[in-house]
Amino acid sequence: MIVLVAGVVQGAAGFGFGLVALPATMAITGSVGSVPMVMLLSATVCSGLAWRAREDVGWRTLRVLLTGSVVGFPIGLALFQWADLRTLQLSVGATVLLVATRLALQLRRLSGDTPAGDESDPAAESETSLAGGIGVGALGGLLASSIALPGPPIVLYLTALATPKSRARATTLAFFVFALWGSLALQAGMIGVAPTVWRTGALLIPVALVGGWLGEQLCERLAERSFRVFTLVLIGITGVVALVTAF
């Protein structure tokens, strides 16, 4: 159920799989093995979603973000190797609640429903700052390889650029594909991933894909304000869960 709901959020919003799945799975398993498992599931879901949304990707912005992510990967991997379960749970909880707070602030400014089929605006992409984009990408890469949550800085950055919904969703998904598969490959090659993690992840992939598909259908039908309220409540709850289970 956790993976299914996380897939729905990811498919509808273009982000959120790790924000929902990681705190809950860490509480259940009591193991840092939840991090590479969530990487595998999230990367798989994002790959299909990103392919279907490829025409809306802001390629210039994506290239800048990916350049920065390469810098962040090794730092995040070192942090993952150094940290214990409690430290990771606290980090995940704090990150998740930060996103929930940001979503709450956005919700207050949302005066009406935004049409689901908004057109991409090239002007937003032209405002991408090279230094700022690389810095955000580095932070996204760091969070991807340490706690499987590359989304927060990317989502906040594209929001600050006033990137239209369709372009922000597609660009975020494309970044996730690179960041999560890259992080998983680094963990597997340099630290190692337990066989049970691979087996459990493989069994849950169909569930995650179904959730992603359901989320795509919701994205076309659900009013943006309604979905933001749902996402805000869900992410807020999982953030609290992560912090409570750390103590």
Side-chain angles (χ1 to χ4, degrees), residues 135-159:
V136 170
L139 184 56
L142 184 154
L143 292 174
S145 56
S146 59
I147 55 175
L149 297 178
I154 309 303
V155 171
L156 299 181
Y157 179 67
L158 293 178
T159 300

Side-chain angles (χ1 to χ4, degrees), residues 17-237:
F17 189 98
L19 293 172
V20 173
L22 189 58
T25 55
M26 289 180 80
I28 291 172
T29 64
S31 167
V32 295
S34 295
V35 174
M37 185 181 73
V38 169
M39 283 181 186
L40 172 63
L41 293 171
S42 184
T44 302
V45 173
C46 289
S47 295
L49 295 173
W51 176 256
R52 291 191 287 277
R54 63 190 182 278
E55 293 182 0
D56 292 324
V57 173
W59 293 106
R60 181 181 181 277
T61 301
L62 180 62
R63 284 193 295 270
V64 172
L65 293 172
L66 291 181
T67 300
S69 70
V70 176
V71 178
F73 282 158
I75 303 173
L77 191 65
L79 291 174
F80 174 80
Q81 199 166 12
W82 163 79
D84 56 17
L85 176 63
R86 184 167 181 266
T87 301
L88 286 177
Q89 285 179 312
L90 289 171
S91 301
V92 169
T95 302
V96 171
L97 289 179
L98 173 64
V99 174
T101 302
R102 178 62 180 177
L103 288 174
L105 293 174
Q106 289 178 345
L107 189 61
R108 290 185 61 187
R109 294 196 299 267
L110 190 62
S111 57
D113 293 333
T114 301
D118 58 345
E119 298 295 329
S120 297
D121 182 6
E125 191 175 13
S126 67
E127 295 176 11
T128 302
S129 162
L130 181 61
I134 289 177
V136 170
L139 184 56
L142 184 154
L143 292 174
S145 56
S146 59
I147 55 175
L149 297 178
I154 309 303
V155 171
L156 299 181
Y157 179 67
L158 293 178
T159 300
L161 291 179
T163 307
K165 178 182 174 182
S166 59
R167 174 158 291 192
R169 180 177 179 275
T171 305
T172 301
L173 285 168
F175 180 84
F176 286 178
V177 171
F178 177 87
L180 291 168
W181 283 122
S183 298
L184 184 60
L186 281 174
Q187 281 209 14
M190 302 186 68
I191 298 176
V193 176
T196 53
V197 172
W198 293 115
R199 287 196 296 269
T200 305
L203 288 172
L204 290 171
I205 281 176
V207 180
L209 291 175
V210 169
W213 179 82
L214 290 173
E216 281 188 303
Q217 310 313 305
L218 277 179
C219 183
E220 299 173 359
R221 295 172 173 81
L222 194 63
E224 184 169 348
R225 184 179 180 84
S226 300
F227 177 75
R228 287 189 184 216
V229 171
F230 166 74
T231 303
L232 172 60
V233 172
L234 192 62
I235 289 176
I237 291 173

